[in-house]
Amino acid sequence: MKYQHSAAQSTEYLRLALKHMTQHAAGMHPTNYTVWYEYVSGVNPPLRSELDSLLRSGERLNDQTIHDLHARHISELDAKTALRIGDSVSQLVSHVSASTAAASDEATRFGSSLARWNDELIDPATGSDALASGVADILRGTQQMQQAISTLKARLAESVSETERLRQEVARAREEALIDGLTGLANRKGFDLALAACLAELQAASVGPCLLMIDLDHFKRINDSQGHVFGDRVLARIGQLLRANVKGKDTAARYGGEEFAVVLPNTPRGGAVGLAEALRALVAASSIRRSGDRESPIGNISVSIGVADHVAGESATDLVNRADRALYAAKMQGRNRVVLAPRPVAKAGQ
């Protein structure tokens, strides 16, 4: 069971959850209650971390925010858990198969010993025919046991093969669930997982991570003037450029709509700005045909990019917000440019 709280604990969590619910704009529905129950009870640390960041910002949470939190932290299948289950089943079947093989070997050795004893007992010099008959019966039973174990081994071998196939399907389904179909980049969920893993592995003395938030300039104008099909071609082209230039442990993602993100786990801020400038220049130099090879290519496509480097103790939400504010500053300064987010000012006593 996920919740193992006593009646008294649950009553206290109910009181605390309702207190939070009345302070925000979301409706008093089960989804809202579940989010706040898991927050106040402490059973969901990632949810608590994101909610703490939202609460520090002073934002009043609405239904959309609550549903997004529920989808990200409570309702969705944990793909990592699915993989762990697949791996565990595979290991279990392998262990059973190994144990069966060992039992088969023991049965074979025992059968050989009985056969040898049987040959000795039916030796005319001993005259032990009655005892030999009994041993012969035991030998037949042992041979039948060996046959049954051999059949079981064959079936277990098939099970091992099937389990491995299922594990690969789970892995493939997980990968597909984290990929944006249009651009081939990680989707929003894939981005969230990559950033969370990056921060979880962060060492005290390590550099990074840095985050790029990228937005296509005047994308609504492109859609309105050229059509949504061409708009999709532009998004796909951006995805192609990011896939070609973001490698290794770095993760490029379609954050949503015409906005993209790049997680750079071990890149200093200077390197992140350099990559952002290179990506901006590549997009600006691109031209995309509206349809077919005979059409004249359309240029004047650009992106604005905000860059933020992580500071000690900063949550994923705060890092994204700083990069997003830098992106907004790039838009306000004329678009088609890169802006580096200022680091937060340390509070007194820190």
Side-chain angles (χ1 to χ4, degrees):
M1 292 177 61
K2 185 174 185 180
Y3 306 115
Q4 298 181 343
H5 306 129
S6 67
Q9 287 175 317
S10 297
T11 301
E12 176 62 12
Y13 294 148
L14 168 62
R15 184 186 68 79
L16 294 172
L18 288 176
K19 180 180 178 181
H20 282 290
M21 291 168 70
T22 57
Q23 294 172 353
H24 296 275
M28 306 291 280
H29 44 70
T31 300
N32 193 11
Y33 175 65
T34 303
V35 167
W36 286 110
Y37 185 94
E38 296 213 354
Y39 172 80
V40 299
S41 64
V43 300
N44 195 329
L47 170 67
R48 190 179 186 104
S49 175
E50 183 169 352
L51 260 175
D52 281 339
S53 295
L54 292 173
L55 294 176
R56 284 196 297 270
S57 72
E59 178 182 350
R60 293 189 75 232
L61 309 186
N62 56 26
D63 279 313
Q64 185 60 55
T65 304
I66 289 294
H67 281 292
D68 289 345
L69 288 167
H70 190 276
R72 281 198 296 277
H73 297 288
I74 298 173
S75 65
E76 289 190 355
L77 170 66
D78 184 343
K80 291 183 178 178
T81 300
L83 277 180
R84 285 196 298 271
I85 292 171
D87 289 339
S88 297
V89 171
S90 180
Q91 291 173 5
L92 175 62
V93 174
S94 296
H95 291 162
V96 173
S97 180
S99 299
T100 305
S104 177
D105 292 341
E106 290 292 337
T108 299
R109 285 193 291 270
F110 182 55
S112 298
S113 297
L114 286 176
R116 185 174 63 255
W117 295 341
N118 184 65
D119 291 340
E120 294 174 355
L121 287 170
I122 62 175
D123 189 332
T126 63
S128 304
D129 291 341
L131 182 58
S133 176
V135 172
D137 288 339
I138 296 174
L139 179 59
R140 280 192 296 272
T142 302
Q143 291 170 339
Q144 291 172 355
M145 181 179 69
Q146 287 178 288
Q147 181 59 46
I149 291 177
S150 295
T151 301
L152 178 59
K153 283 179 65 178
R155 291 176 179 172
L156 279 172
E158 294 174 0
S159 297
V160 169
S161 176
E162 176 66 11
T163 301
E164 177 60 22
R165 185 185 67 80
L166 292 174
R167 193 193 68 79
Q168 291 175 358
E169 285 188 8
V170 170
R172 184 166 57 252
R174 175 182 181 269
E175 182 178 348
E176 291 174 353
L178 301 177
I179 296 297
D180 176 65
L182 177 62
T183 63
L185 302 174
N187 60 17
R188 174 61 185 276
K189 182 64 176 179
F191 166 81
D192 288 341
L193 288 174
L195 184 56
C198 177
L199 295 181
E201 296 171 0
L202 191 61
Q203 301 297 319
S206 61
V207 176
C210 285
L211 176 64
L212 313 185
M213 296 299 290
I214 306 168
D215 192 78
L216 267 163
D217 296 329
H218 302 299
F219 186 65
K220 184 178 185 303
R221 184 186 303 173
I222 293 173
N223 271 336
D224 291 344
S225 62
Q226 304 295 334
H228 290 277
V229 173
F230 180 77
D232 284 348
R233 290 171 68 89
V234 173
L235 293 173
R237 175 58 176 162
I238 300 298
Q240 182 183 13
L241 290 172
L242 289 174
R243 291 198 311 274
N245 292 277
V246 177
K247 303 289 187 178
K249 294 182 178 181
D250 302 339
T251 300
R254 185 181 180 190
Y255 191 76
E258 69 272 23
E259 194 168 4
F260 299 83
V262 178
V263 181
L264 305 169
N266 299 307
T267 303
R269 64 195 322 220
V273 171
L275 175 61
E277 285 288 2
L279 292 173
R280 182 202 61 75
L282 283 170
V283 174
S286 296
S287 58
I288 303 172
R289 297 184 186 277
R290 190 172 184 278
S291 62
D293 293 335
R294 289 177 292 183
E295 295 262 355
S296 298
I298 296 174
N300 298 323
I301 296 168
S302 65
V303 293
S304 299
I305 305 178
V307 181
D309 60 324
H310 182 263
V311 297
E314 188 174 35
S315 69
T317 301
D318 289 342
L319 178 61
V320 171
N321 286 339
R322 281 203 301 120
D324 218 31
R325 287 194 294 271
L327 170 60
Y328 180 76
K331 293 281 189 182
M332 293 298 99
Q333 293 175 24
R335 297 181 171 83
N336 191 23
R337 66 191 61 224
V338 174
V339 170
L340 177 63
R343 289 175 173 169
V345 178
K347 297 178 181 179
Q350 290 187 340

